[in-house]
Amino acid sequence: MSNWAARELDRPLCRVADLPEGQSVGFDPLDEGRDTMFVVRKGDTVHAWRNLCPHYDRARMAWKKDEFLNGDRSRIMCAAHGALFRIEDGVCEIGPCVGQSLTPVPVRLHDGALWIVGEYAPGFRR
Ligand code: FES
């Protein structure tokens, strides 16, 4: 059993310039062989979320690599049952978990790179 809460990363996730505007990108920051988080860049802001749907938190949300958004890219979509979440705050607006939220990943931009800050997943153990 690993304890993600105790781990912090000593390298950036990526260069901000490598994040396509208005699209989602998945990351595997602890090298587990699957994307455990994803980000969505909107202008100068990057929103970061764990790849865990509040409906069933073991569900993977992307329908294929880096595809976490709905068709018009206005919301985050869970591929399992179609829940739609606001990109800005991760709140589910439509679907089986209305009112529940995605789990944020604290990130910051520094020197053109995107970093996770603090604990990757406070309180989360697996
Ligand atoms: S697991 Fe995401 S909507 Fe059901």
Side-chain angles (χ1 to χ4, degrees), residues 52-61 77-85 92 94-97 102:
L52 297 171
C53 182
H55 186 213
Y56 291 120
D57 70 359
R58 297 293 178 203
R60 297 181 190 185
M61 296 182 61
M77 185 177 79
C78 178
H81 306 110
L84 294 172
F85 304 84
C92 179
I94 300 170
C97 46
L102 300 173

Side-chain angles (χ1 to χ4, degrees), residues 28-105:
D28 178 11
L30 301 182
D31 299 323
E32 296 186 276
R34 64 185 182 94
D35 289 339
T36 56
M37 63 167 288
F38 64 97
V39 305
V40 182
R41 181 180 176 190
K42 301 265 285 191
D44 292 334
T45 303
V46 178
H47 304 278
W49 306 102
R50 293 293 310 276
N51 186 7
L52 297 171
C53 182
H55 186 213
Y56 291 120
D57 70 359
R58 297 293 178 203
R60 297 181 190 185
M61 296 182 61
W63 59 276
K64 71 175 195 180
K65 173 67 179 154
D66 295 335
E67 294 290 349
F68 292 86
L69 301 179
N70 63 343
D72 67 6
R73 303 196 175 282
S74 63
R75 291 183 173 102
I76 296 162
M77 185 177 79
C78 178
H81 306 110
L84 294 172
F85 304 84
R86 288 194 297 255
I87 293 170
E88 293 73 19
D89 60 10
V91 173
C92 179
E93 294 185 303
I94 300 170
C97 46
V98 168
Q100 295 182 273
S101 299
L102 300 173
T103 303
V105 176

